[in-house]
Amino acid sequence: MFIVFEGIDGSGKTTQSKLLAKKMDAFWTYEPSNSLVGKIIREILSGKTEVDNKTLALLFAADRIEHTKLIKEELKKRDVVCDRYLYSSIAYQSVAGVDENFIKSINRYALKPDIVFLLIVDIETALKRVKTKDIFEKKDFLKKVQDKYLELAEEYNFIVIDTTKKSVEEVHNEIIGYLKNIPH
Ligand code: TYD
């Protein structure tokens, strides 16, 4: 199974995806990945270098092509849990002004996950939870990204979990509960 976690930073997706991978004995991975392109992306996200948003969208798509090869290899052996994937690009880059069809088109080689968990959170709580801020970590922007994610949740059938007033354990148990009900 290929399981993806999405959400804004501070939603708890890294903690929850790691916990689930451990529980399932799955391979845990993340985007931006640690490929060469992923390193360039991190440099841009830190605000050191500025590029056009379309360039950044292309870099995320390129990183994903490399990363997807690794995911496919791992899927032959075990389940894979991924912290951010295609839907991060659709949400963040479209809110940043890049045409959605362009984003979808450059990501046409992405895998279709078996399940996507969208973790949502009150924006103030999210900002409090996040220590190091990147170029996207601004209140109004994150609000729009989360709204876009909720729109995508309808389109792609995500499982949406609000983590605002819940403990790590409560959210984890909710996730396990959903997985138990999914035939595979
Ligand atoms: P993040 O999950 O915050 O990585 P880390 O915890 O290592 O800092 O992802 C970095 C940022 O990149 C985050 O603000 C979301 C953004 N992002 C996109 O805009 N598009 C994408 O396709 C991906 C994967 C991430």
Side-chain angles (χ1 to χ4, degrees), residues 9 13-14 30-32 41-42 45 56 60 64 83-90 92-93 132 134 136-137:
D9 265 339
K13 66 184 172 42
T14 304
Y30 55 89
E31 290 192 357
I41 292 172
R42 282 180 202 285
L45 289 174
L56 188 54
F60 277 119
R64 189 159 298 122
D83 179 353
R84 294 195 184 280
Y85 197 60
L86 163 69
Y87 314 98
S88 283
S89 279
I90 305 179
Y92 282 77
Q93 274 60 64
T132 45
D134 66 40
F136 292 136
E137 250 103 57

Side-chain angles (χ1 to χ4, degrees), residues 125-142:
T125 311
L127 285 170
K128 267 186 231 150
R129 285 180 188 168
V130 179
K131 280 167 244 117
T132 45
K133 307 254 189 295
D134 66 40
I135 54 167
F136 292 136
E137 250 103 57
K138 302 203 178 67
K139 196 175 163 189
D140 295 351
F141 186 85
L142 289 182

Side-chain angles (χ1 to χ4, degrees), residues 74-134:
E74 287 297 331
L75 279 171
K76 288 180 192 162
K77 298 177 262 177
R78 51 187 163 167
D79 294 320
V80 173
V81 178
C82 190
D83 179 353
R84 294 195 184 280
Y85 197 60
L86 163 69
Y87 314 98
S88 283
S89 279
I90 305 179
Y92 282 77
Q93 274 60 64
S94 80
V95 172
V98 183
D99 175 64
E100 197 170 322
N101 288 326
F102 173 70
I103 302 165
K104 286 180 176 169
S105 143
I106 59 178
N107 281 284
R108 83 185 69 149
Y109 299 111
L111 283 179
K112 192 185 170 324
D114 296 290
I115 305 162
V116 179
F117 286 104
L118 170 62
L119 304 192
I120 57 164
V121 67
D122 166 74
I123 308 288
E124 298 286 352
T125 311
L127 285 170
K128 267 186 231 150
R129 285 180 188 168
V130 179
K131 280 167 244 117
T132 45
K133 307 254 189 295
D134 66 40

